[in-house]
Amino acid sequence: MSRTVGLRIHVTGVVQGVGFRPFVFGLAERHALRGWVRNTSSGVDIEVEGRPESVRAFAEQLRTEAPPLARIHDLEVASRPPDGYTGFSIVPSAPVPGAYQPVSPDVATCDACLAEVRDPSDRRHAYPFTNCTNCGPRFTIITDIPYDRPNTTMAGFPLCADCAREYADPRDRRFHAQPVACPVCGPTVWLEAGGAPDAPPTGPDAIAETRRRIAAGGVVAIKGLGGFHLACDATNPAAVAELRRRKLREGKPLAVMVASLEDARRHARVDEAEAALLASAAAPIVLLRRRRVSRIVVAVAPDTGEIGLMLPYTPLHHLLFAPGEHRPEALVMTSGNLSEEPIATSNEEALRRLDRLADAFLLHDRPIRSRCDDSVARVVGGETMFLRRSRGFAPYPVRLDRSLPPLLAAGAELKNVFALTRERDVFLSHHIGDMENLETLQAYEDGVAHLARLFRIDIEAVAHDLHPDYMATRYALERAAAAGLPAVAVQHHHAHVAACMADNGLDPEARVIGLALDGTGYGDDGAIWGGEVLLAGYRSYRRLRHLAYVPLPGGDRAVREPWRVALAWLAAADIPWTPDLPPVAAATREELRVVRRMVELGLNAPSTSSAGRLFDAVASLAGIRQTVDYEAQAAIALEARVDPDEAAAYELGLGPSTIDPVPAVRAVVTDVREGLPVGRIAARFHRGLAAVLAAACVDARAETGIGTVALAGGVWQNLVLLDGVRDRLVRAGFRVLVHRQVPPNDGSLALGQAVVAAAVLRARS
Ligand code: ZN
Ligand code: ZN
Ligand code: FE
């Protein structure tokens, strides 16, 4: 008889709610091992015994053959004497007080579930809430850990006998799938339309009626995974225009859902990496180059040649696109909110807040615990670049090489995402949005409380932006004051650069040259920064250079009215405001008089080094846009116009402490007056800015000996600038860091705040 050996294995990471125990069960059976597996609050425990080579193979394959959604952080393996187990079993969960583990993000419908939904003989045929251990809702329905059905919003749906059998069978795909449901025992959909006297249509009838209404040009609010969408026919210009009018959203791009990868390819050019991202379990909105032949109306995304597409990620979405009458070709699926408000999540809230926006409501009775907007990403050089990291990714943590104390990092004012830390994990929240109203603040406070509870985080300190008036800053400071916690103020662009360092796994002592380019951030001199060359470590930074200051006439108004910044740059360049120049022509005589006073006297005109505003100014001077509907719209339009064949570049001055755009502004004006095509002006500006930024890095390296550059801040969403700067830096021998796991914009600010605050607190103690 051969020798028997035993192992005890503890696995941490995303290993619950992803089919890990059935996988362990199957693997143990395959190797004829005895023992058990169980969930704990901190991961999964396993004991196995059997022949030495089988036990070894088992331990190896735990890692190499883990289910697709599992993410193993650590696998601790220890030998133990055999216990004489007779079989292999899955034993009840063992809670460990205070322990925590990551929560899985929501996962798009898997192929096996989709096949059932499409199979007329299956008991889940056409059932919109079909899911299994490989797919379905997770973060959005979890109310607490451990991840068991009573701790989800499925608690109110007792399993029918058939579902209970699947749930209890370790050989079934639905073994311990917490959201498991079927038409007998699970949630239902129904359609509510204002004033309709009859009983609302439910199930397949509700979906059919939704399709009919959309085909007829209507707008339907559809309850999804993390909130409501407003849906309309993306090929119907009148429907799109009406949706924009109701939503008060004039120019901002609207996301579009299409049935399949094949369909996506008919509307946009999709390369292999983009296809993989579209069809991934996270199913984000992917920005793609629109095809001319696409029937999706251009007004969906008017400023660029791009379009944001996503694929169906719930069975309900798949049913909206199923073959048959009124099958849509493409659906606008924009977040169900009025501009600036958070996305609606409950039926009552949607019926109240979306009343004027939607003609009908496709509702269901599975509650949404956490609102979660769609994520937005693009592929750059084969790598994913996030623009918004939310559904499908949140609340998965960014994992560091070191432990942090438990912190709340409050995040920014716009595109807010906050962070909570525990040990090596930085839990970045879902997208909270622009902190400009009470609803968003409430969503923020609820989010902080919920994540702190899920991950058992007892906050010991807070990190916040330097800006005293940010809602998130005030929340953090009030919280710190009430609980007597230390608060660490972190300069906005230092946070950006530190976030990029942490995103790339730089060690605690690392230092980099940071090119922090974005729209707005409070500087330590009270000015509005945004075009910064920093020498930065986690703990501190020194400002090496910045874009020369210019007054921002009217403050925030200048963000909406780029002509104001253009006038300020003309004044800085001593160029008279003559009406042949587009920003001058765009203003009334009274406006010109007021802005003149602001610029000359510095009244209501804070100094700014913002790169985003410089792009706005050039877009205005070139005649592209004088006013915008959302921040950076003019800059985005400028980038979209760049003529790739242009070889010339504008010069920007490189002073001892500044980068001076004045020579470039003068050159733009000359070219505008000579009637040079806008595409060439746009290209010359991008090329000139890239060259001067690279030159500033070469200088900084000469001074400091540091050869790593971190590109951080929202302006790096500009791919022409990104490519231009990266190419120049790589050729000059630099190591260039860009964001990978989180966006370059303010959606990653909290990560930077957290790592900076941890370094500051460590130095203090
Ligand atoms: Zn599935
Ligand atoms: Zn059932
Ligand atoms: Fe920023």
Side-chain angles (χ1 to χ4, degrees), residues 162-175:
D162 287 333
C163 286
R165 197 169 15 78
E166 294 167 335
Y167 184 89
D169 178 1
R171 287 171 191 84
D172 193 280
R173 203 172 91 248
R174 296 200 166 87
F175 175 74

Side-chain angles (χ1 to χ4, degrees), residues 676-760:
L676 194 75
V678 168
R680 297 182 62 190
I681 294 174
R684 288 177 178 190
F685 173 68
H686 279 80
R687 293 172 59 83
L689 184 59
V692 79
L693 290 169
C697 289
V698 170
D699 271 14
R701 179 172 59 187
E703 186 195 332
T704 64
I706 292 168
T708 302
V709 179
L711 307 182
V715 167
W716 297 108
Q717 291 166 172
N718 180 322
L719 299 188
V720 174
L721 187 72
L722 176 66
D723 284 346
V725 170
R726 183 155 52 177
D727 286 355
R728 284 170 174 81
L729 289 175
V730 168
R731 269 190 274 122
F734 285 96
R735 177 183 178 205
V736 182
L737 307 178
V738 297
H739 276 288
R740 313 162 71 88
Q741 310 172 70
V742 289
N745 57 42
D746 282 3
S748 63
L749 202 74
L751 170 61
Q753 291 172 342
V755 290
V756 169
V760 168

Side-chain angles (χ1 to χ4, degrees), residues 466-492:
L466 265 187
H467 199 302
D469 296 331
Y470 278 8
M471 269 199 198
T473 299
R474 274 186 268 155
Y475 171 82
L477 287 174
E478 278 164 26
R479 190 164 173 153
L485 304 176
V488 181
V490 182
Q491 199 280 323
H492 191 94

Side-chain angles (χ1 to χ4, degrees), residues 110-133:
C110 74
D111 290 343
C113 284
L114 187 54
E116 292 171 345
V117 171
R118 287 174 173 166
D119 176 0
S121 70
D122 193 278
R123 71 190 193 90
R124 290 191 175 84
H125 177 241
Y127 183 57
F129 303 94
T130 304
N131 65 80
C132 73
T133 45

Side-chain angles (χ1 to χ4, degrees), residues 492 496 518 520 746:
H492 191 94
H496 269 308
D518 72 352
T520 300
D746 282 3

Side-chain angles (χ1 to χ4, degrees), residues 9 41 201 204 221-222 229 248 264 312 315 330 355 411 461 511 537 559 574 712 741:
I9 302 173
S41 332
I222 298 176
H229 283 121
L248 309 178
D355 179 38
R511 291 196 307 161
V559 176
D574 292 324
Q741 310 172 70

Side-chain angles (χ1 to χ4, degrees), residues 169-446:
D169 178 1
R171 287 171 191 84
D172 193 280
R173 203 172 91 248
R174 296 200 166 87
F175 175 74
H176 279 230
Q178 306 306 345
V180 69
C182 78
V184 174
C185 66
T188 14
V189 288
W190 69 95
L191 186 87
E192 272 185 36
D198 311 332
T202 63
D205 294 342
I207 293 167
E209 176 62 10
T210 300
R211 286 165 48 138
R212 192 194 64 73
R213 282 173 175 268
I214 288 173
V219 175
V220 181
I222 298 176
K223 187 176 183 180
L225 208 49
F228 276 77
H229 283 121
L230 291 166
C232 75
D233 178 357
T235 64
N236 180 338
V240 173
E242 178 61 15
L243 175 56
R244 278 201 185 279
R245 191 187 64 73
R246 292 187 197 170
K247 219 180 126 131
L248 309 178
R249 188 177 194 177
E250 279 165 38
K252 226 169 183 175
L254 303 170
V256 174
M257 185 177 277
V258 292
S260 65
L261 213 44
E262 235 166 62
D263 277 11
R265 288 202 166 97
R266 289 197 287 115
H267 296 289
R269 281 193 290 266
V270 182
D271 70 21
E272 234 173 274
E274 288 162 340
L277 188 58
L278 274 169
S280 66
I285 298 165
V286 181
L287 299 190
L288 300 163
R289 291 142 300 161
R290 184 179 185 282
R291 278 185 189 274
R292 286 234 176 77
V293 295
S294 169
R295 290 186 61 239
I296 296 171
V297 300
V298 174
V300 160
D303 289 310
T304 64
E306 294 193 319
I307 185 161
L309 295 186
M310 64 179 149
L311 299 185
Y313 55 83
T314 68
L316 180 60
H317 297 150
H318 285 287
L319 292 168
L320 288 170
F321 284 100
E325 214 184 351
H326 304 309
R327 180 183 189 272
E329 183 176 348
L331 291 177
V332 167
M333 290 285 263
T334 187
S335 50
N337 56 3
L338 207 58
S339 278
E340 321 300 339
E341 284 183 5
I343 183 169
T345 51
S346 79
N347 293 345
E348 299 67 38
E349 188 188 12
L351 289 168
R352 179 166 41 82
R353 279 174 42 202
L354 306 181
D355 179 38
R356 296 218 179 94
L357 280 70
D359 306 310
F361 293 80
L362 185 61
L363 303 176
H364 64 70
D365 53 359
R366 185 179 71 201
I368 296 170
R369 171 57 189 87
S370 292
R371 71 185 70 234
C372 208
D373 290 70
D374 294 318
S375 293
V376 186
R378 74 185 338 150
V379 173
V380 182
E383 307 271 344
T384 299
M385 176 199 267
F386 284 101
L387 306 182
R388 179 200 292 157
R389 177 189 182 272
S390 198
R391 180 190 49 77
F393 300 96
Y396 193 72
V398 170
R399 203 161 160 78
L400 305 177
D401 62 353
R402 56 189 179 277
S403 275
L404 305 185
L407 299 167
L408 164 66
E413 178 84 340
L414 300 178
K415 296 188 172 73
N416 182 280
V417 165
F418 65 84
L420 288 163
T421 62
R422 182 167 173 178
E423 297 167 27
R424 288 173 53 195
D425 290 323
V426 181
F427 293 99
L428 285 156
S429 75
H430 47 300
H431 171 81
I432 302 291
D434 296 351
M435 303 273 284
E436 292 178 331
N437 52 60
L438 198 61
E439 286 82 1
T440 316
L441 181 63
Q442 280 163 352
Y444 177 89
E445 292 181 357
D446 172 67

